[in-house]
Amino acid sequence: MANRVNYPKLMDQAIQSLGGTRPRLLLHSCCAPCSSAVLEMLSQYFRITILYYNPNIWPSLEYHRRVQELERFIQEAGLPDLELVVEDYHPEEYDQAVQGLEDCPERGDRCTVCYQMRMERTAAYAAAHGYEWFCSSLSISPRKDAQRLNEMGQALEQKYGVRHLPNEFKRREGHKRSLELSSQHNLYRQEYCGCKHSAPKHMK
């Protein structure tokens, strides 16, 4: 079995390479609870713009509720240099991307496609708007595959010419800190990842 990549160590090395500068980073966000601890930590080193691009989220009420909670957390947290970009809601983009994969289990091929479409949009937006770095808050969830996300990020770095920040935000008690911040700010924590295929039965 191959040795597990130490993504937190790689992130430390990337941050040390900044030399005390605070370059611009585009952070893909899925929701306020997952982003909270990530923003708290990365805002020490980067000027962050949050990209909320999640066509997978269902239904539209859920999509907009998560946006509102993210906006509220940004206002309350008092972290420096945070901006938010909210993409228009087009769930058909997700439906088309995962067509034929609807019955895949969680963390299977459907999730890989979902990761890819959101990571790619983030990298493309970062390249088009002059960001030096990009990454996603997704790896803070114990249910998300950090290796898969980082491998995508590395490939997209080569494709778009924007550096991907290696990460596994759930480690070093990152997930625990996200729970603490969610409690402090009384953030809405959803019951499911976001798509209709992962939603609890009572919602369908």
Side-chain angles (χ1 to χ4, degrees):
M1 181 180 293
N3 291 332
R4 178 175 178 173
V5 178
N6 189 334
Y7 292 112
K9 182 178 180 180
L10 293 179
M11 184 174 68
D12 289 344
Q13 293 170 352
I15 289 172
Q16 289 170 7
S17 75
L18 302 179
T21 65
R22 292 181 73 240
R24 297 172 72 215
L25 178 142
L26 186 68
L27 175 71
H28 166 263
S29 170
C30 58
C31 62
C34 286
S35 302
S36 59
V38 177
L39 290 168
E40 182 182 65
M41 191 271 290
L42 291 186
S43 63
Q44 303 172 68
Y45 310 106
F46 298 94
R47 290 172 290 143
I48 300 173
T49 298
I50 304 155
L51 180 67
Y52 186 83
Y53 170 69
N54 299 291
N56 57 303
I57 294 177
W58 173 93
S60 61
L61 181 65
E62 178 76 15
Y63 180 90
H64 294 294
R65 185 174 184 182
R66 295 191 192 192
V67 172
Q68 291 169 356
E69 286 295 270
L70 187 55
E71 290 172 336
R72 183 169 68 82
F73 176 76
I74 291 169
Q75 292 173 355
E76 293 180 3
L79 298 172
D81 302 320
L82 293 185
E83 297 180 1
L84 174 63
V85 174
V86 178
E87 295 262 334
D88 292 336
Y89 182 50
H90 292 294
E92 70 277 4
E93 294 179 5
Y94 171 76
D95 292 337
Q96 291 169 6
V98 301
Q99 189 171 5
L101 301 173
E102 293 87 350
D103 294 329
C104 288
E106 287 295 291
R107 296 180 64 124
D109 290 343
R110 186 185 68 244
C111 294
T112 298
V113 170
C114 186
Y115 297 169
Q116 182 69 40
M117 69 182 300
R118 291 186 285 170
M119 289 284 288
E120 178 125 20
R121 179 65 66 92
T122 306
Y125 188 100
H129 294 85
Y131 290 86
E132 293 99 327
W133 295 81
F134 79 98
C135 67
S136 173
S137 63
L138 287 169
S139 74
I140 202 164
S141 170
R143 299 179 182 180
K144 299 295 186 293
D145 186 335
Q147 180 173 335
R148 218 181 314 180
L149 290 163
N150 278 280
E151 288 173 352
M152 288 176 185
Q154 291 164 10
L156 292 167
E157 175 178 317
Q158 297 300 314
K159 181 176 180 178
Y160 289 99
V162 182
R163 295 195 65 181
H164 175 256
L165 183 68
N167 64 83
E168 190 168 359
F169 294 121
K170 68 173 72 70
R171 295 177 66 183
R172 297 178 176 173
E173 298 195 330
H175 182 251
K176 178 182 177 182
R177 181 57 180 160
S178 75
L179 296 176
E180 292 171 350
L181 286 168
S182 296
S183 178
Q184 289 174 21
H185 293 273
N186 194 29
L187 295 176
Y188 161 64
R189 293 187 63 85
Q190 59 281 356
E191 296 181 67
Y192 60 110
C193 178
C195 77
K196 57 189 170 185
H197 310 297
S198 66
K201 290 182 179 180
H202 69 82
M203 292 185 62
K204 297 179 181 179

Short mmCIF file of all heavy atoms in Angstrom, two decimals, residues 2 4 69 135 156 178 189 195:
data_model
loop_
_atom_site.label_atom_id
_atom_site.label_comp_id
_atom_site.label_asym_id
_atom_site.label_seq_id
_atom_site.Cartn_x
_atom_site.Cartn_y
_atom_site.Cartn_z
N ALA A 2 0.56 2.20 -0.85
CA ALA A 2 1.34 3.42 -0.93
C ALA A 2 1.19 4.24 0.35
O ALA A 2 0.16 4.20 1.02
CB ALA A 2 0.89 4.25 -2.14
N ARG A 4 0.49 7.28 2.70
CA ARG A 4 -0.50 8.35 2.62
C ARG A 4 0.21 9.69 2.50
O ARG A 4 1.17 9.97 3.23
CB ARG A 4 -1.37 8.33 3.87
CG ARG A 4 -2.40 9.44 3.92
CD ARG A 4 -3.31 9.28 5.11
NE ARG A 4 -4.26 10.37 5.19
CZ ARG A 4 -5.25 10.41 6.06
NH1 ARG A 4 -5.43 9.42 6.92
NH2 ARG A 4 -6.07 11.44 6.09
N GLU A 69 -26.45 31.81 5.06
CA GLU A 69 -25.65 31.48 6.23
C GLU A 69 -24.18 31.84 6.00
O GLU A 69 -23.49 32.29 6.92
CB GLU A 69 -25.78 30.00 6.58
CG GLU A 69 -27.10 29.64 7.22
CD GLU A 69 -27.28 30.30 8.57
OE1 GLU A 69 -26.88 29.72 9.60
OE2 GLU A 69 -27.83 31.43 8.61
N CYS A 135 -8.29 26.64 -3.95
CA CYS A 135 -8.55 25.34 -3.31
C CYS A 135 -10.02 25.30 -2.93
O CYS A 135 -10.78 26.23 -3.22
CB CYS A 135 -7.66 25.10 -2.09
SG CYS A 135 -7.97 26.18 -0.69
N LEU A 156 -5.51 20.47 -12.23
CA LEU A 156 -6.08 21.75 -12.65
C LEU A 156 -5.04 22.86 -12.56
O LEU A 156 -5.08 23.82 -13.34
CB LEU A 156 -7.30 22.07 -11.80
CG LEU A 156 -8.51 21.16 -12.04
CD1 LEU A 156 -9.55 21.35 -10.96
CD2 LEU A 156 -9.12 21.42 -13.42
N SER A 178 -14.53 23.46 13.07
CA SER A 178 -15.70 23.88 12.30
C SER A 178 -16.98 23.66 13.09
O SER A 178 -17.92 24.46 13.01
CB SER A 178 -15.77 23.14 10.95
OG SER A 178 -16.17 21.79 11.11
N ARG A 189 -26.66 23.73 10.02
CA ARG A 189 -25.90 22.58 9.53
C ARG A 189 -26.87 21.60 8.87
O ARG A 189 -27.76 21.06 9.52
CB ARG A 189 -25.15 21.88 10.68
CG ARG A 189 -24.05 22.72 11.29
CD ARG A 189 -23.23 21.91 12.30
NE ARG A 189 -22.56 20.80 11.67
CZ ARG A 189 -21.37 20.90 11.05
NH1 ARG A 189 -20.75 22.06 10.99
NH2 ARG A 189 -20.82 19.83 10.50
N CYS A 195 -26.82 17.14 -2.75
CA CYS A 195 -27.59 16.74 -3.93
C CYS A 195 -28.83 15.94 -3.53
O CYS A 195 -28.91 15.40 -2.43
CB CYS A 195 -26.71 15.95 -4.90
SG CYS A 195 -26.41 14.23 -4.43
#
